[in-house]
């Protein structure tokens, strides 16, 4: 399954429980909202009711965390079926997930675990992605994760891996600028080298988020803080390369009042309009 | 090392107990994230239970559960499913704890259970059932419907624990009853049901027809069965109806 995803320019936020009431009460100054797909799959009641009401006001992007594209065991067909049902209901701008694996049969980590960047892993991800795109009947966006562990058997860089993946599978890319920054510190590479290697016509969305300091100089992608100055600067570089695309701010912990996130989104608008 | 072997080793390391030290600072981050995410999921799913047993005791139970029950579903929302069973073992001297975890889990399940609709008294009246239709009338249970026998005043404890500052007393013993949980509209509900009333309801929940359930209730209790049925309908215990072939 290949297909086209038209560029969409806009600025959005993740739909988090803390802000459901605000989104239900009034239209908010966002161009789209991004949902975590799994929060609305195989469920009903108030969660689905809320999503339906928000969908009437805003375009929705579905962002998944459990597809496990890097699993050599293949994808969970029941999961894909549930995801397809939700996508058919929501008619999102697009669906995305991560370049990662999330577990082995019988044991799920509920985390975005890192892959060795090898030909074997590339084959697995391409096969899984092709299957997912066939079942979902649309191309997907694949996001670069933050990582804290590198594998000695890797023969490709992360950006080479992503470039080949996009070429071979027809997928698009969700560029998480914070993740590029976090991984560049953790694995000591130049984040601009990463950006330069990403095919310009495949990026449809950018994620921004905050991170925190971990042990031994490692940064952790915690989504619990405002976007930092270094990431804003990298974002301006990314916009210069990849616009037009959608920009979204992620906050999953220490979630502040909606007004604070809307103000941060205004910062993104400002950075996107400034020369890098 | 194959990708399959690499991933098995990776997940075994992050899910291991403290006897196995992480092999690198990065692996320590993954292990901490694994534990924290699961612990958070349990603390959110069992907020009132945590309040009742205290944070320290709950966190010990949570740590035990995380080591003994690796998650296996794609959704983190399913992770606490076996926690009530573990609570029954760990808090054997305080049986209300297992009851509380059960109620908390099923209230949450009912909250987000897939939609099934609701059979209202008006809808049933509008179906214009004839006498023979009632004999073969079958009722679909409401979204999230679950039940469990209890022997303490659990609803009182549940209500009191809604207040984070409350320090409720241990729930009083009661005549054994059945605790029902289900969703009506968008809100989860619960109700203690006397065992004789539940004995009349259970066949309907098991798929028996109205005629079969009424017959099981007994001819001398048909009036009572009718009153109970009206209450179940008003409570929203049924999602729909069908006429058996």
């Amino acid at each position: 399954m290949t297909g086209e995803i038209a560029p969409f320019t806009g600025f959005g936020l993740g739909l988090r429980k803390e802000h459901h009431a605000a989104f239900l009460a009034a239209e908010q100054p966002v161009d789209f909202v991004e949902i975590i797909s799994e929060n609305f799959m195989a469920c009903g009641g108030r969660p689905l009711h809320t999503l339906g009401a928000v969908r009437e006001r805003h375009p929705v992007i579905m962002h998944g965390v459990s597809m496990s594209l890097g699993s050599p065991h293949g994808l969970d067909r029941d999961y894909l079926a549930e995801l397809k049902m939700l996508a058919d209901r929501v008619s999102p701008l697009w669906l995305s997930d991560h370049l990662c694996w999330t577990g082995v049969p019988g044991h799920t980590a509920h985390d975005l675990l890192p892959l060795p960047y090898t030909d074997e892993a590339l084959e697995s991800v391409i096969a899984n992605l092709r299957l997912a795109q066939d079942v979902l009947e649309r191309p997907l966006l694949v996001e670069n994760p933050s990582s804290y562990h590198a594998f000695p058997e890797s023969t490709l860089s992360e950006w080479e891996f992503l470039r080949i993946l996009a070429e071979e599978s027809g997928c698009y890319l969700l560029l998480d600028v914070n993740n590029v920054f976090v991984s560049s510190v953790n694995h000591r590479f130049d984040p601009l080298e990463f950006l330069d290697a990403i095919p310009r016509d495949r990026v449809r969305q950018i994620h921004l988020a905050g991170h925190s300091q971990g042990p031994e100089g490692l940064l952790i992608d915690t989504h619990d803080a405002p976007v930092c100055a270094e990431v804003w600067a990298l974002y301006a570089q990314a916009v210069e390369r990849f616009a037009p695309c959608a920009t979204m701010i992620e906050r999953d912990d220490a979630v502040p009042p909606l007004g604070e996130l809307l103000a941060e989104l205004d910062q993104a608008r400002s950075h996107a309009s400034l020369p890098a | 090392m194959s990708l399959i072997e690499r991933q098995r080793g990776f997940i075994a390391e992050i899910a291991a107990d403290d006897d196995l030290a992480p092999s690198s600072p990065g692996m320590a981050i993954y292990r901490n994230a694994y534990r924290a995410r699961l612990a958070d999921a349990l603390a959110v799913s069992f907020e009132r239970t945590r309040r009742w047993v205290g944070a320290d005791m709950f966190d010990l139970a949570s740590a035990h559960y995380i080591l003994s029950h690796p998650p296996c579903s794609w959704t983190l929302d399913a992770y606490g499913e076996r926690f009530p069973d573990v609570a029954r073992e760990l808090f054997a001297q305080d049986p209300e704890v297992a009851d509380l975890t059960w109620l908390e889990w099923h209230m949450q399940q009912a909250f987000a259970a897939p939609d099934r609709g609701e059979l209202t008294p008006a809808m049933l009246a509008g179906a214009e059932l004839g006498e023979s239709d009632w004999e073969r009338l079958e009722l679909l249970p409401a979204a999230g419907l679950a039940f469990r026998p209890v022997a303490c005043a659990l609803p009182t404890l549940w209500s009191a624990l809604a207040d984070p500052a409350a320090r409720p007393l241990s729930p009083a013993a009661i005549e054994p009853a059945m605790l029902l949980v289900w969703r009506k509209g968008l809100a989860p509900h619960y109700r203690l049901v006397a065992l004789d009333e539940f004995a009349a309801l259970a066949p309907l929940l098991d798929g028996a027809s109205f005629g079969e359930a009424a017959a099981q209730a007994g001819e001398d209790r048909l009036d009572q069965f009718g009153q109970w049925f009206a209450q179940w309908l008003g409570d929203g215990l049924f999602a729909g109806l069908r006429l058996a072939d």
Side-chain angles (χ1 to χ4, degrees):
Chain A
M1 165 75 201
T2 54
E4 299 292 320
I5 295 178
F8 176 89
T9 306
F11 296 83
L13 293 176
L15 182 64
R16 301 294 181 259
K17 275 189 288 193
E18 292 83 349
H19 302 143
H20 280 186
F23 274 96
L24 288 174
E27 188 170 345
Q28 298 297 333
V30 295
D31 301 311
F32 65 89
V33 296
E34 185 184 87
I35 61 166
I36 301 297
S37 307
E38 289 78 3
N39 290 349
F40 299 93
M41 287 164 59
C43 81
R46 191 172 296 281
L48 214 52
H49 173 80
T50 299
L51 175 58
V54 171
R55 178 68 185 90
E56 288 179 8
R57 288 185 172 144
H58 301 283
V60 167
I61 290 171
M62 287 171 54
H63 184 52
V65 294
S66 299
M67 190 177 287
S68 201
L69 280 170
S71 171
H73 301 281
L75 301 183
D76 180 336
R77 298 287 186 134
D78 293 339
Y79 169 87
L80 285 181
E82 291 289 351
L83 185 61
K84 174 76 162 52
M85 283 175 61
L86 184 65
D88 288 347
R89 183 183 188 114
V90 171
S91 294
L93 289 172
W94 53 72
L95 293 89
S96 60
D97 208 298
H98 300 80
L99 178 61
C100 73
W101 59 289
T102 62
V104 298
H107 192 169
T108 305
H110 294 292
D111 199 355
L112 311 174
L113 302 176
L115 280 167
Y117 298 124
T118 61
D119 290 341
E120 183 192 12
L122 189 57
E123 272 180 36
S124 283
V125 179
I126 289 171
N128 288 336
L129 198 43
R130 284 178 174 154
L131 171 65
Q133 292 181 143
D134 282 345
V135 171
L136 297 166
E137 299 177 335
R138 68 197 85 201
L140 298 180
L141 270 64
V142 177
E143 177 181 347
N144 58 298
S146 285
S147 71
Y148 320 109
H149 184 83
F151 299 93
E153 63 264 39
S154 288
T155 54
L156 297 164
S157 65
E158 184 181 0
W159 49 93
E160 288 169 330
F161 196 100
L162 283 165
R163 180 182 55 76
I164 299 169
L165 183 64
E167 286 172 1
E168 295 292 322
S169 71
C171 76
Y172 288 82
L173 300 174
L174 194 178
L175 181 73
D176 190 313
V177 172
N178 179 61
N179 288 348
V180 173
F181 179 76
V182 166
S183 290
S184 75
V185 171
N186 292 346
H187 304 306
R188 296 176 186 166
F189 61 76
D190 179 355
L192 293 180
E193 187 181 357
F194 189 118
L195 296 189
D196 285 340
I198 295 297
R200 294 191 174 210
D201 61 337
R202 302 313 287 181
V203 176
R204 286 290 177 269
Q205 188 180 355
I206 290 175
H207 270 175
L208 294 167
H211 56 259
S212 57
Q213 185 67 56
E216 313 235 359
L218 294 172
L219 297 182
I220 308 178
D221 178 36
T222 42
H223 293 192
D224 62 351
V227 179
C228 71
E230 294 95 328
V231 171
W232 282 127
L234 196 58
Y235 170 62
Q237 295 279 347
V239 169
E240 189 179 77
R241 287 163 175 76
F242 305 117
C245 59
T247 295
M248 183 262 187
I249 293 180
E250 293 182 294
R251 189 70 73 84
D252 295 302
D253 209 351
V255 177
L258 183 60
E260 279 186 38
L261 287 182
L262 291 171
E264 198 174 16
L265 202 57
D266 282 340
Q267 278 185 270
R269 290 186 175 96
S270 298
H271 283 279
S273 62
L274 293 173
Chain B
M1 182 182 289
S2 71
L3 187 57
I4 286 177
E5 290 168 332
R6 169 64 81 186
Q7 292 186 352
R8 283 193 180 135
F10 193 104
I11 203 162
E13 181 175 340
I14 64 173
D17 63 23
D18 289 336
D19 290 343
L20 178 68
S23 59
S24 69
M27 291 303 291
I29 291 173
Y30 284 110
R31 180 183 287 183
N32 289 340
Y34 174 82
R35 292 179 180 178
R37 189 168 286 110
L38 298 182
D40 283 351
L42 292 173
V44 168
S45 294
F46 299 100
E47 183 181 20
R48 295 190 197 195
T49 303
R50 191 169 191 262
R51 230 168 253 162
W52 176 240
V53 302
D56 290 347
M57 288 300 291
F58 184 88
D59 293 348
L60 282 173
S62 168
H64 171 77
Y65 186 78
I66 290 168
L67 282 173
S68 59
H69 290 71
C72 57
S73 169
W74 53 261
T75 171
L76 194 53
D77 290 343
Y79 184 53
E81 186 174 13
R82 311 309 304 170
F83 192 70
D85 298 335
V86 170
R88 192 178 61 235
E89 294 169 12
L90 296 181
F91 299 94
Q93 303 303 312
D94 305 297
E96 82 284 356
V97 176
D99 290 342
L100 187 59
T101 56
W102 181 90
L103 176 56
E104 193 149 31
W105 178 255
H106 284 280
M107 288 290 278
Q108 185 175 260
Q109 296 304 299
F111 174 77
D115 295 331
R116 285 187 159 188
E118 181 185 338
L119 179 66
T120 64
M123 288 165 65
L124 187 61
E128 297 183 350
L129 300 172
E131 193 169 333
S132 64
D133 294 332
W134 282 93
E135 286 295 319
R136 58 199 185 100
L137 173 67
E138 292 179 356
L139 297 147
L140 180 68
L145 194 141
F147 47 85
R148 172 187 178 94
V150 294
C152 70
L154 199 61
T156 307
L157 179 63
W158 173 260
S159 300
L161 289 168
D163 175 5
R167 294 290 177 270
L169 298 173
S170 289
I174 60 168
E175 283 294 312
M178 198 62 77
L179 183 61
L180 254 62
V181 173
W182 73 100
R183 190 177 78 232
K184 181 178 183 183
L186 297 178
H189 289 256
Y190 62 84
R191 181 162 81 85
L192 270 182
V193 176
L195 291 182
D196 59 343
E197 181 183 345
F198 185 76
L201 171 62
L204 291 175
L205 301 181
D206 278 346
S209 70
F210 185 88
E212 291 166 339
Q216 285 186 39
E219 199 166 327
D220 57 334
R221 302 193 74 188
L222 282 183
D223 283 351
Q224 176 66 78
F225 184 78
Q227 288 171 25
W228 280 335
F229 182 70
Q231 166 140 20
W232 301 335
L233 206 54
D235 284 344
L237 290 186
F238 305 116
L241 59 81
R242 68 182 288 267
L243 295 176
D245 296 334

